[in-house]
């Protein structure tokens, strides 16, 4: 995913959209380079859909896309970066929803309602992409925290917490609130513990209200 770092500041509503980078927004590139990038991502997506993310290798993607393996490596570096790139389209949709979509997830609702809606949507987001998120996380465990997606989510949550609890250490609290959504934790809860999305959402809300 994009490695741009979001700038702090702004509000949790419309102006935030102009301050934070859109996740995965590609740099300008030649038409042929853009076509190759699309072919590589489409080929990787087919492999994931048919065999799961563990089956993805740079050689298989090169073969499936009819593009030289050297080009695949130059564009994406390794399997972890390729898997993260596959998540960009879905991440952009999610980001647009909570930054500029309809309330309560988007602007226009009270901060508490927006935070609840965001965490509910994040449960669904991680659940839908659980296998590929886990594969990317396993290949590069710290990559999540240096990507644009996490930075934008963190800033959004910190702004909402700041509205709810003025004077709190919202930057730290946002990190702690997002920690349970790490792919390995969510895999443990949804697969090994067999917890439903509804139970996870209810649990997150209960956790937030323990000391209220």
């Amino acid at each position: 995913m994009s490695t741009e770092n979001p700038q702090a500041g702004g509000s949790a509503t419309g102006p935030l959209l102009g301050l934070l980078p859109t996740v995965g927004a590609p740099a300008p590139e030649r038409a042929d380079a853009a076509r190759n990038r699309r072919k590589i991502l489409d080929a990787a997506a087919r492999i994931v859909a048919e065999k799961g993310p563990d089956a993805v290798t740079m050689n298989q993607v090169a073969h499936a896309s009819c593009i030289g393996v050297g080009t695949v490596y130059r564009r994406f570096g390794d399997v972890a970066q390729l898997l993260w790139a596959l998540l960009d389209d879905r991440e952009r949709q999610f980001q647009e929803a909570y930054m500029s979509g309809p309330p309560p997830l988007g602007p226009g609702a009270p901060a508490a309602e927006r935070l609840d809606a965001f965490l509910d949507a994040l449960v669904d987001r991680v659940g839908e992409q659980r296998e590929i998120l886990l594969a990317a996380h396993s290949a590069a465990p710290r990559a999540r925290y240096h990507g644009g997606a996490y930075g934008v989510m963190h800033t959004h949550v910190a702004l909402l917490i700041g509205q709810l609890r003025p004077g709190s250490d919202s930057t730290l609290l946002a990190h702690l609130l997002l920690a349970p959504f790490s792919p390995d934790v969510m895999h443990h809860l949804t697969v090994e513990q067999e917890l439903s999305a509804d139970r996870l959402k209810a649990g997150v809300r209960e956790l937030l209200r323990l000391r209220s």
Side-chain angles (χ1 to χ4, degrees):
M1 290 186 180
S2 169
T3 56
E4 295 178 60
N5 290 322
Q7 300 298 314
S11 69
T13 57
L16 188 59
L17 190 59
L19 294 174
L20 300 177
T22 298
V23 173
E29 56 185 349
R30 301 188 316 274
D32 59 336
R35 285 194 297 271
N36 284 345
R37 183 178 188 277
R38 186 73 264 159
K39 288 180 181 178
I40 293 168
L41 290 176
D42 288 346
R46 288 195 300 272
I47 294 172
V48 170
E50 294 169 3
K51 303 179 181 179
D54 289 343
V56 176
T57 68
M58 302 301 262
N59 285 334
Q60 283 188 333
V61 171
H63 178 75
S65 63
C66 299
I67 293 175
V69 67
T71 299
V72 177
Y73 272 104
R74 283 193 297 273
R75 291 307 305 267
F76 296 100
D78 55 30
V79 170
Q81 293 181 60
L82 177 55
L83 291 174
W84 281 114
L86 279 177
L87 296 168
D88 273 355
D89 287 340
R90 180 66 179 85
E91 193 62 55
R92 279 198 296 270
Q93 295 175 13
F94 181 45
Q95 188 180 107
E96 290 170 1
Y98 68 76
M99 289 172 65
S100 60
L105 183 57
E113 292 182 21
R114 291 197 68 191
L115 185 58
D116 282 344
F118 174 82
L119 296 174
D120 283 353
L122 190 54
V123 169
D124 292 332
R125 159 90 176 101
V126 176
E128 291 166 4
Q129 303 290 317
R130 177 181 52 78
E131 287 192 6
I132 191 170
L133 281 167
L134 183 64
H137 177 80
S138 297
R142 291 181 297 276
R144 173 178 185 247
Y145 304 102
H146 300 288
Y150 181 84
V152 174
M153 286 193 296
H154 174 266
T155 300
H156 177 68
V157 171
L159 289 169
L160 293 177
I161 292 174
Q163 293 177 17
L164 288 168
R165 295 288 179 89
S168 65
D169 189 349
S170 59
T171 298
L172 172 60
L173 293 176
H175 282 303
L176 295 175
L177 188 54
L178 290 172
F181 294 93
S182 176
D184 55 336
V185 175
M186 292 296 287
H187 176 82
H188 172 69
L189 294 175
T190 59
V191 177
E192 298 174 358
Q193 296 296 315
E194 300 182 343
L195 301 183
S196 68
D198 287 343
R199 187 172 175 187
L200 290 175
K201 293 173 185 178
V204 171
R205 295 193 183 196
E206 183 67 18
L207 184 63
L208 291 176
R209 290 159 177 73
L210 284 177
R211 295 293 300 272
S212 62

